[in-house]
């Protein structure tokens, strides 16, 4: 038996031929002159893969899955590995902002008055076809005291807004038209529930029968978020002209993203002068002439819907009263200052020692101011009661003189009367 000798190692000389893929005897027996004409094979190129595939192969062999997004872990989106839904169109929001006469939008006066918080809550709402839940509440208009009682009972089946599948809901009330902080109320916040029970009554003061024919109550259910902005869940609207005086009416309505109430959107606003007066607010004043002591008792009870004069959207209001013609220091009084409110409650009473004959010739000037520390106070509005007044102001004065010993209360709309010369229009 013969043992084959291993082939010699390849020479490192520059004359050595490159190895060929074939090891047949015919190729080894070929002449050296024929080898330079054969084309050598190119070296194999490296396989090109992405960085994501590189790490996926090294970490978890198997099918390569897409990188999950943070939105995949929230309940409002579909379960992983489905891709998140496309971004929602803001078409309705744009119509509200730029077109004051669209059927789904607000009027310019309503929408421009909203603060940034309301706009952020609107952006957080979900698709229109999502079930948002129901809200149960009741309304009562007390014409004698000019109050609107709004009792928020409960909500049911609210949409989950938090990562734990629950929500922290509260209800905000707005009187439309007009969206300043003076006519906004809100309930307390209930934690971790989709079926909250509030049983909370909120009151609007200074609401007249004329307001009931033109105003609309808007109730928004929102989710409170301590770490981010509050999220809008849904809303309902009720035209107050459907309420009867003294009758409590209960509602159970489904929440919507934007309540398309044609009656509300078609309401017309009064002329500009009346709107300017409404923006200043109202004041509740009581008058009583005490015949035993021979004095006039003036009660400053409360104000409602005052204009915001400070940068924080509120005011620090107080009231000045002067009995004209000026009787010296005894004719001027001032209430205490109520901090950061547009609906202050004073319940303060002042007396003027004056005979009934002299009182008939005098005028009571009432002005509301915003207190500013270290600066001049800002004038909010005023009203004058006396023989030279007209309308509701004259009626209030006559009833006080006619019904001696009886306290007569009236709501009055604040106007430019009593403003300092620098604040009066040219």
């Amino acid at each position: 038996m013969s043992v084959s000798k291993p082939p010699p190692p390849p020479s490192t000389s520059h004359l050595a031929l490159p190895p060929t893929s074939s090891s047949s005897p015919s190729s080894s027996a070929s002449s050296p002159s024929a080898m330079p004409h054969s084309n050598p094979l190119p070296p194999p190129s490296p396989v090109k893969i992405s960085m994501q595939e590189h790490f996926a192969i090294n970490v978890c062999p198997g099918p390569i899955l897409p990188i999950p997004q943070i939105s995949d872990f929230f309940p409002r989106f579909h379960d992983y590995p489905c891709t998140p839904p496309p971004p929602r169109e803001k078409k309705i929001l744009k119509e509200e902002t730029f077109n004051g006469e669209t059927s789904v939008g607000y009027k310019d006066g309503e929408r421009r008055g909203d603060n940034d918080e309301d706009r952020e809550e609107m952006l957080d709402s979900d698709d229109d076809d999502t079930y948002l839940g129901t809200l149960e509440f009741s309304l009562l208009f007390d014409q004698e005291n000019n109050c609107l009682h709004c009792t928020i009972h409960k909500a049911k089946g609210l949409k989950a807004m938090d990562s734990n599948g629950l929500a922290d809901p509260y209800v905000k009330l707005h009187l439309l038209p007009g969206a300043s902080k003076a006519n906004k109320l809100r309930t307390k916040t209930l934690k971790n529930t989709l079926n909250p029970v509030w049983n909370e009554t909120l009151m609007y003061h200074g609401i007249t029968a004329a307001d009931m024919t033109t105003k609309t109550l808007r109730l928004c259910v929102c989710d409170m978020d301590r770490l981010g902005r509050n999220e809008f869940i849904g809303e309902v609207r009720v035209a107050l002209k459907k309420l009867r005086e003294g009758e409590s009416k209960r509602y159970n309505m489904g929440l919507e993203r934007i309540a398309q109430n044609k009656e509300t959107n078609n309401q017309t606003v009064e002329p500009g002068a009346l709107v300017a007066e409404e923006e200043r607010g109202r004041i509740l004043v009581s008058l009583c002439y005490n015949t035993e002591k021979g004095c006039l008792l003036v009660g400053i009870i409360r104000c409602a819907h005052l204009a915001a004069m400070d940068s924080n959207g509120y005011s620090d209001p107080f009231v000045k009263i002067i009995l004209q013609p000026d009787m010296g220091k005894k004719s001027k009084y001032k209430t205490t200052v109520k901090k950061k409110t547009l609906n202050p409650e004073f319940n303060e009473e002042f007396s003027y020692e004056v005979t009934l004959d002299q009182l008939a010739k005098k005028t009571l000037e009432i002005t509301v101011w915003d207190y500013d520390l270290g600066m001049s106070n800002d004038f909010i509005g005023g009203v004058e009661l006396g023989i030279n007044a007209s309308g509701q102001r004259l009626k209030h004065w006559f009833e006080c003189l006619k019904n001696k010993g009886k306290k007569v209360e009236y709501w009055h709309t604040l106007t430019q009367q009593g403003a300092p010369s620098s604040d009066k229009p040219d």
Side-chain angles (χ1 to χ4, degrees):
M1 182 176 67
S2 63
V3 179
S4 61
K5 185 179 179 180
S11 175
T12 59
S13 172
H14 65 280
L15 298 176
L17 297 175
T20 58
S21 59
S22 175
S23 60
S24 61
S26 60
S27 62
S28 61
S30 59
S31 62
S33 61
M35 292 305 295
H37 298 283
S38 62
N39 296 326
L41 296 176
S45 60
V47 180
K48 295 182 179 180
I49 62 174
S50 63
M51 186 63 69
Q52 177 183 351
E53 293 173 332
H54 173 73
F55 282 104
I57 292 173
N58 290 340
V59 175
C60 52
I64 300 176
L65 300 177
I67 297 176
Q69 304 292 324
I70 191 172
S71 57
D72 296 330
F73 298 95
F74 288 88
R76 69 176 67 184
F77 296 137
H78 298 286
D79 295 335
Y80 177 81
C82 296
T83 58
R88 298 185 296 274
E89 296 181 357
K90 301 299 186 298
K91 182 177 180 181
I92 296 180
L93 187 63
K94 290 180 180 178
E95 290 180 355
E96 293 175 12
T97 305
F98 298 108
N99 189 355
E101 299 180 354
T102 53
S103 60
V104 297
Y106 298 94
K107 292 180 182 178
D108 292 338
E110 301 170 4
R111 199 58 194 161
R112 292 174 183 171
D114 283 350
N115 53 12
D116 295 336
E117 178 187 354
D118 300 333
R119 196 175 297 272
E120 289 175 352
E121 289 170 352
M122 280 298 182
L123 291 174
D124 289 332
S125 57
D126 278 327
D127 298 333
D128 294 332
D129 56 356
T130 305
Y131 178 74
L132 303 174
T134 60
L135 180 65
E136 188 173 337
F137 60 96
S138 60
L139 302 177
L140 170 63
F141 175 54
D142 183 3
Q143 187 172 1
E144 182 178 355
N145 298 314
N146 295 103
C147 293
L148 176 63
H149 301 258
C150 310
T151 303
I152 312 300
H153 298 292
K154 60 184 178 180
K156 187 179 294 184
L158 294 180
K159 179 175 175 56
M161 304 300 291
D162 297 337
S163 57
N164 59 0
L166 300 173
D168 302 327
Y170 65 93
V171 181
K172 272 204 308 189
L173 282 69
H174 306 244
L175 269 182
L176 303 177
S180 66
K181 290 185 179 181
N183 55 34
K184 292 182 182 179
L185 303 174
R186 63 167 286 175
T187 66
K188 59 186 177 181
T189 302
L190 300 182
K191 298 287 187 179
N192 297 327
T193 178
L194 298 180
N195 300 284
V197 179
W198 288 283
N199 288 327
E200 187 174 346
T201 300
L202 306 175
M203 294 177 58
Y204 280 105
H205 296 276
I207 303 298
T208 63
D211 293 329
M212 297 296 291
T213 61
T214 59
K215 298 284 187 181
T216 295
L217 181 65
R218 175 188 177 204
L219 301 95
C220 300
V221 181
C222 303
D223 170 62
M224 191 188 74
D225 190 352
R226 290 187 178 273
L227 301 179
R229 62 191 182 189
N230 297 338
E231 295 179 304
F232 174 82
I233 299 178
E235 71 173 43
V236 296
R237 295 190 187 184
V238 177
L240 297 183
K241 63 183 179 181
K242 299 180 181 179
L243 285 179
R244 295 182 179 178
E245 192 274 326
E247 179 181 348
S248 179
K249 189 171 183 180
R250 197 178 184 100
Y251 298 84
N252 190 0
M253 304 175 66
L255 297 175
E256 299 177 308
R257 283 193 61 196
I258 297 177
Q260 299 182 8
N261 191 334
K262 293 184 178 180
E263 290 186 44
T264 303
N265 295 325
N266 290 336
Q267 289 176 357
T268 57
V269 182
E270 296 294 331
L274 183 58
V275 173
E277 292 181 359
E278 284 292 333
E279 290 174 354
R280 296 181 179 273
R282 295 175 180 176
I283 185 170
L284 179 59
V285 180
S286 68
L287 298 178
C288 176
Y289 186 78
N290 192 326
T291 54
E292 297 179 357
K293 297 182 179 181
C295 64
L296 172 67
L297 300 178
V298 181
I300 305 299
I301 302 176
R302 70 186 312 135
C303 295
H305 314 155
L306 292 180
M309 306 301 291
D310 296 337
S311 59
N312 59 4
Y314 293 95
S315 293
D316 302 324
F318 68 95
V319 180
K320 291 181 181 180
I321 56 176
I322 303 176
L323 189 61
Q324 302 283 7
D326 195 352
M327 298 167 52
K329 293 183 178 180
K330 294 183 179 180
S331 66
K332 299 179 181 180
Y333 292 101
K334 184 170 63 173
T335 67
T336 57
V337 178
K338 302 297 180 180
K339 293 290 186 179
K340 197 179 178 181
T341 178
L342 299 177
N343 298 282
E345 185 173 355
F346 298 99
N347 290 322
E348 299 183 30
E349 193 173 71
F350 308 94
S351 64
Y352 290 97
E353 294 183 2
V354 58
T355 63
L356 190 61
D357 294 337
Q358 293 176 343
L359 183 62
K361 303 175 183 178
K362 292 186 177 293
T363 300
L364 183 65
E365 182 181 287
I366 304 174
T367 54
V368 183
W369 299 77
D370 169 55
Y371 175 77
D372 288 328
L373 182 62
M375 301 173 60
S376 60
N377 300 324
D378 298 323
F379 175 78
I380 297 179
V383 61
E384 291 183 358
L385 308 178
I387 194 67
N388 296 323
S390 60
Q392 193 92 336
R393 300 184 295 274
L394 180 61
K395 182 180 179 182
H396 192 185
W397 190 255
F398 274 156
E399 286 192 13
C400 171
L401 299 178
K402 180 180 180 181
N403 303 304
K404 296 179 287 292
K406 180 181 178 181
K407 184 178 293 187
V408 183
E409 294 183 358
Y410 268 85
W411 281 95
H412 297 287
T413 300
L414 298 177
T415 65
Q416 195 70 15
Q417 290 179 337
S421 57
S422 59
D423 290 348
K424 290 182 179 179
D426 296 334

